[in-house]
Amino acid sequence: MSPPVKLIGSFGSPLVHRAEVALRLKGVAYEFIHEDLENKSELLLKHNPIYKKVPVLLHGDRTVCESLIIVEYVDEAFEGPPLLPSDPYDCAAARFWANFMDQKCRKPFWLSLWMEGEVQKGFMMETKENLALLEAQLGGKRFFGGDSIGYLDIALSGLAHWIGVLEEVTGVILVGDEYPALRRWANEYTSDEAVKQCLPSRDHLAAYFTANKDKLKMMAIAMLHQ
Amino acid sequence: MSPPVKLLGTFSSGFSRRAEAALRLKGVPYELIQEDLSNKSELLLMHNPIHKKVPVLLHGDRAVCESLVIVEYIDEAFDGPPLLPIDPFDRATARFWARFIDDKCSTSFWLSLWTEGEVQKGFVKEFKQNLALLETQIKGKRFFGGDTVGYLDIAASGIAHWLPVFEEVASVRLVTDAEYPDLCRWAKEYTSHETIKESLPEREKLLAIFTAKKDFFMSTVKSMVPK
């Protein structure tokens, strides 16, 4: 029998969602250990001493950190429908665009939502360029992975669900009508049965973001100066 | 017959040389196209429009960008000795430490070289903590990959070959045999490896290039140091 699987995570984190959805898509049973990030547990600090962040996957006595590394691990360690494409070139493309999301998109998205004036305009331009590239990548496909959800859909899941909630809370639209493929994809992704089971509710997320508006604005300002 | 393989790269780029190391270890013949980064070619801009950086691997009509994505592509697309471990957990571990090197080590290293005074002391402390973690990963092993050179050795190649050159240019000594005996031993093994050494730029030429760029390097940290 396979060793038990546990996932250390926190409510509302899009990175934790990546790990959870990978487990659910592969049909892997797991125990979710809820972490209070304001008061980090011994378990988290022991298993992720370098970054002290969630998600952390515990598989028997193995520990895997970093959301996308966890997704690849889950794909390789367990049976079930493949998350990464079988063709090496498609694999490379998926990894490239996942890196693009994390390294190029995250900051402009965040600052477009929380900044104002000329600063916001600059990041909005960058955001729109990034979204246009993703729109082109999706093209007419149901998912970035093709007919079924794959690694890149999972990597971009923040765009499918969290961005929409943030748009409501801030009143700033990022993924407008000029991105019909991305909007359709976001609906498809968030309607998937396996995805729905590990997606934090829009209401809960909206309440959290609204209650923490000042803190999130401060985070954006800090990000601006990094 | 497999489509031709070309690599857009530069002489001194450690990232570019990662791709070359992978191609050579897999025994894949390739044509190296030297890129002048101060005057980027149409070929580069066409195949890496987003980042406009080297390396870019061209395999027939396919273009692959990002050095570690290229290394994994080479591993998967061509026959030859595996670069990544077989076991999923070992693969996850290799990917984790490669990312650690690129995200945490390289930044703290760069800032340790080109800052001064108390600010520098802080970055040196951070970099040494990062090195200590890598030291634990290589302890007792010939290579990060085990008995043979693998993905993580390639990812760490900057530490083996480029780091000592930067240390000399900046007149800073960070990686000593006394403090990091296993890492230093690995660096010697890696840079003298029969296949790897063919992928490395000559040290003296690297030193000349980096010495000439010292002022530019120093200017890069100004925007990186938090206010």
Side-chain angles (χ1 to χ4, degrees), chain B residues 151-165:
Chain B
Y151 172 86
L152 185 50
D153 299 279
I154 297 171
S157 56
I159 295 172
H161 189 66
W162 279 258
L163 182 147
V165 180

PDB file of all heavy atoms in Angstrom, chain B residues 151-165:
ATOM      1  N   TYR B 151      21.529  16.694 -13.877  1.00  0.00           N
ATOM      2  CA  TYR B 151      20.793  17.970 -13.966  1.00  0.00           C
ATOM      3  C   TYR B 151      21.251  18.972 -12.920  1.00  0.00           C
ATOM      4  O   TYR B 151      21.516  20.135 -13.235  1.00  0.00           O
ATOM      5  CB  TYR B 151      19.310  17.649 -13.804  1.00  0.00           C
ATOM      6  CG  TYR B 151      18.372  18.816 -13.674  1.00  0.00           C
ATOM      7  CD1 TYR B 151      17.847  19.452 -14.794  1.00  0.00           C
ATOM      8  CD2 TYR B 151      17.973  19.268 -12.412  1.00  0.00           C
ATOM      9  CE1 TYR B 151      16.954  20.508 -14.665  1.00  0.00           C
ATOM     10  CE2 TYR B 151      17.085  20.325 -12.275  1.00  0.00           C
ATOM     11  CZ  TYR B 151      16.577  20.939 -13.404  1.00  0.00           C
ATOM     12  OH  TYR B 151      15.696  21.984 -13.269  1.00  0.00           O
ATOM     13  N   LEU B 152      21.370  18.542 -11.670  1.00  0.00           N
ATOM     14  CA  LEU B 152      21.695  19.486 -10.610  1.00  0.00           C
ATOM     15  C   LEU B 152      23.146  19.942 -10.689  1.00  0.00           C
ATOM     16  O   LEU B 152      23.461  21.095 -10.399  1.00  0.00           O
ATOM     17  CB  LEU B 152      21.375  18.890  -9.236  1.00  0.00           C
ATOM     18  CG  LEU B 152      21.551  19.811  -8.033  1.00  0.00           C
ATOM     19  CD1 LEU B 152      20.847  21.154  -8.239  1.00  0.00           C
ATOM     20  CD2 LEU B 152      21.021  19.142  -6.765  1.00  0.00           C
ATOM     21  N   ASP B 153      24.031  19.047 -11.137  1.00  0.00           N
ATOM     22  CA  ASP B 153      25.427  19.465 -11.354  1.00  0.00           C
ATOM     23  C   ASP B 153      25.474  20.548 -12.420  1.00  0.00           C
ATOM     24  O   ASP B 153      26.172  21.561 -12.282  1.00  0.00           O
ATOM     25  CB  ASP B 153      26.272  18.273 -11.826  1.00  0.00           C
ATOM     26  CG  ASP B 153      26.300  17.160 -10.817  1.00  0.00           C
ATOM     27  OD1 ASP B 153      27.090  17.262  -9.854  1.00  0.00           O
ATOM     28  OD2 ASP B 153      25.512  16.202 -10.956  1.00  0.00           O
ATOM     29  N   ILE B 154      24.717  20.347 -13.490  1.00  0.00           N
ATOM     30  CA  ILE B 154      24.676  21.339 -14.564  1.00  0.00           C
ATOM     31  C   ILE B 154      24.103  22.655 -14.029  1.00  0.00           C
ATOM     32  O   ILE B 154      24.627  23.735 -14.302  1.00  0.00           O
ATOM     33  CB  ILE B 154      23.838  20.829 -15.754  1.00  0.00           C
ATOM     34  CG1 ILE B 154      24.480  19.587 -16.367  1.00  0.00           C
ATOM     35  CG2 ILE B 154      23.665  21.920 -16.802  1.00  0.00           C
ATOM     36  CD1 ILE B 154      23.609  18.888 -17.402  1.00  0.00           C
ATOM     37  N   ALA B 155      23.035  22.562 -13.243  1.00  0.00           N
ATOM     38  CA  ALA B 155      22.428  23.769 -12.670  1.00  0.00           C
ATOM     39  C   ALA B 155      23.425  24.501 -11.768  1.00  0.00           C
ATOM     40  O   ALA B 155      23.425  25.727 -11.699  1.00  0.00           O
ATOM     41  CB  ALA B 155      21.178  23.398 -11.876  1.00  0.00           C
ATOM     42  N   ALA B 156      24.279  23.745 -11.095  1.00  0.00           N
ATOM     43  CA  ALA B 156      25.235  24.340 -10.150  1.00  0.00           C
ATOM     44  C   ALA B 156      26.553  24.726 -10.805  1.00  0.00           C
ATOM     45  O   ALA B 156      27.468  25.200 -10.120  1.00  0.00           O
ATOM     46  CB  ALA B 156      25.509  23.354  -9.010  1.00  0.00           C
ATOM     47  N   SER B 157      26.658  24.556 -12.111  1.00  0.00           N
ATOM     48  CA  SER B 157      27.949  24.752 -12.773  1.00  0.00           C
ATOM     49  C   SER B 157      28.497  26.168 -12.585  1.00  0.00           C
ATOM     50  O   SER B 157      29.715  26.366 -12.589  1.00  0.00           O
ATOM     51  CB  SER B 157      27.854  24.418 -14.268  1.00  0.00           C
ATOM     52  OG  SER B 157      26.832  25.178 -14.888  1.00  0.00           O
ATOM     53  N   GLY B 158      27.640  27.133 -12.407  1.00  0.00           N
ATOM     54  CA  GLY B 158      28.086  28.498 -12.156  1.00  0.00           C
ATOM     55  C   GLY B 158      28.983  28.582 -10.934  1.00  0.00           C
ATOM     56  O   GLY B 158      29.962  29.332 -10.897  1.00  0.00           O
ATOM     57  N   ILE B 159      28.618  27.785  -9.914  1.00  0.00           N
ATOM     58  CA  ILE B 159      29.389  27.784  -8.672  1.00  0.00           C
ATOM     59  C   ILE B 159      30.770  27.167  -8.907  1.00  0.00           C
ATOM     60  O   ILE B 159      31.776  27.611  -8.353  1.00  0.00           O
ATOM     61  CB  ILE B 159      28.631  26.999  -7.581  1.00  0.00           C
ATOM     62  CG1 ILE B 159      27.329  27.717  -7.241  1.00  0.00           C
ATOM     63  CG2 ILE B 159      29.487  26.811  -6.335  1.00  0.00           C
ATOM     64  CD1 ILE B 159      26.407  26.943  -6.315  1.00  0.00           C
ATOM     65  N   ALA B 160      30.810  26.141  -9.762  1.00  0.00           N
ATOM     66  CA  ALA B 160      32.064  25.428 -10.005  1.00  0.00           C
ATOM     67  C   ALA B 160      33.056  26.252 -10.805  1.00  0.00           C
ATOM     68  O   ALA B 160      34.254  26.240 -10.531  1.00  0.00           O
ATOM     69  CB  ALA B 160      31.782  24.109 -10.722  1.00  0.00           C
ATOM     70  N   HIS B 161      32.558  26.949 -11.827  1.00  0.00           N
ATOM     71  CA  HIS B 161      33.492  27.558 -12.789  1.00  0.00           C
ATOM     72  C   HIS B 161      33.444  29.082 -12.844  1.00  0.00           C
ATOM     73  O   HIS B 161      34.475  29.724 -12.930  1.00  0.00           O
ATOM     74  CB  HIS B 161      33.217  26.972 -14.178  1.00  0.00           C
ATOM     75  CG  HIS B 161      34.222  27.345 -15.223  1.00  0.00           C
ATOM     76  ND1 HIS B 161      35.539  26.930 -15.163  1.00  0.00           N
ATOM     77  CD2 HIS B 161      34.113  28.100 -16.347  1.00  0.00           C
ATOM     78  CE1 HIS B 161      36.183  27.409 -16.219  1.00  0.00           C
ATOM     79  NE2 HIS B 161      35.356  28.125 -16.954  1.00  0.00           N
ATOM     80  N   TRP B 162      32.258  29.674 -12.779  1.00  0.00           N
ATOM     81  CA  TRP B 162      32.136  31.122 -12.915  1.00  0.00           C
ATOM     82  C   TRP B 162      32.400  31.835 -11.598  1.00  0.00           C
ATOM     83  O   TRP B 162      33.005  32.905 -11.573  1.00  0.00           O
ATOM     84  CB  TRP B 162      30.731  31.486 -13.422  1.00  0.00           C
ATOM     85  CG  TRP B 162      30.568  31.329 -14.898  1.00  0.00           C
ATOM     86  CD1 TRP B 162      30.570  32.313 -15.839  1.00  0.00           C
ATOM     87  CD2 TRP B 162      30.359  30.107 -15.624  1.00  0.00           C
ATOM     88  NE1 TRP B 162      30.393  31.790 -17.088  1.00  0.00           N
ATOM     89  CE2 TRP B 162      30.259  30.427 -16.989  1.00  0.00           C
ATOM     90  CE3 TRP B 162      30.253  28.760 -15.258  1.00  0.00           C
ATOM     91  CZ2 TRP B 162      30.044  29.472 -17.985  1.00  0.00           C
ATOM     92  CZ3 TRP B 162      30.055  27.798 -16.236  1.00  0.00           C
ATOM     93  CH2 TRP B 162      29.954  28.162 -17.585  1.00  0.00           C
ATOM     94  N   LEU B 163      31.959  31.233 -10.502  1.00  0.00           N
ATOM     95  CA  LEU B 163      32.087  31.873  -9.191  1.00  0.00           C
ATOM     96  C   LEU B 163      33.520  32.264  -8.857  1.00  0.00           C
ATOM     97  O   LEU B 163      33.774  33.403  -8.456  1.00  0.00           O
ATOM     98  CB  LEU B 163      31.476  30.966  -8.108  1.00  0.00           C
ATOM     99  CG  LEU B 163      31.476  31.476  -6.676  1.00  0.00           C
ATOM    100  CD1 LEU B 163      30.249  30.994  -5.914  1.00  0.00           C
ATOM    101  CD2 LEU B 163      32.726  31.041  -5.926  1.00  0.00           C
ATOM    102  N   PRO B 164      34.498  31.358  -9.020  1.00  0.00           N
ATOM    103  CA  PRO B 164      35.884  31.737  -8.685  1.00  0.00           C
ATOM    104  C   PRO B 164      36.397  32.915  -9.519  1.00  0.00           C
ATOM    105  O   PRO B 164      37.203  33.720  -9.048  1.00  0.00           O
ATOM    106  CB  PRO B 164      36.693  30.466  -8.975  1.00  0.00           C
ATOM    107  CG  PRO B 164      35.699  29.362  -9.014  1.00  0.00           C
ATOM    108  CD  PRO B 164      34.423  29.953  -9.476  1.00  0.00           C
ATOM    109  N   VAL B 165      35.902  33.014 -10.755  1.00  0.00           N
ATOM    110  CA  VAL B 165      36.345  34.115 -11.615  1.00  0.00           C
ATOM    111  C   VAL B 165      35.770  35.433 -11.094  1.00  0.00           C
ATOM    112  O   VAL B 165      36.472  36.437 -10.974  1.00  0.00           O
ATOM    113  CB  VAL B 165      35.914  33.891 -13.085  1.00  0.00           C
ATOM    114  CG1 VAL B 165      36.379  35.039 -13.962  1.00  0.00           C
ATOM    115  CG2 VAL B 165      36.468  32.564 -13.602  1.00  0.00           C
TER     116      VAL B 165
END
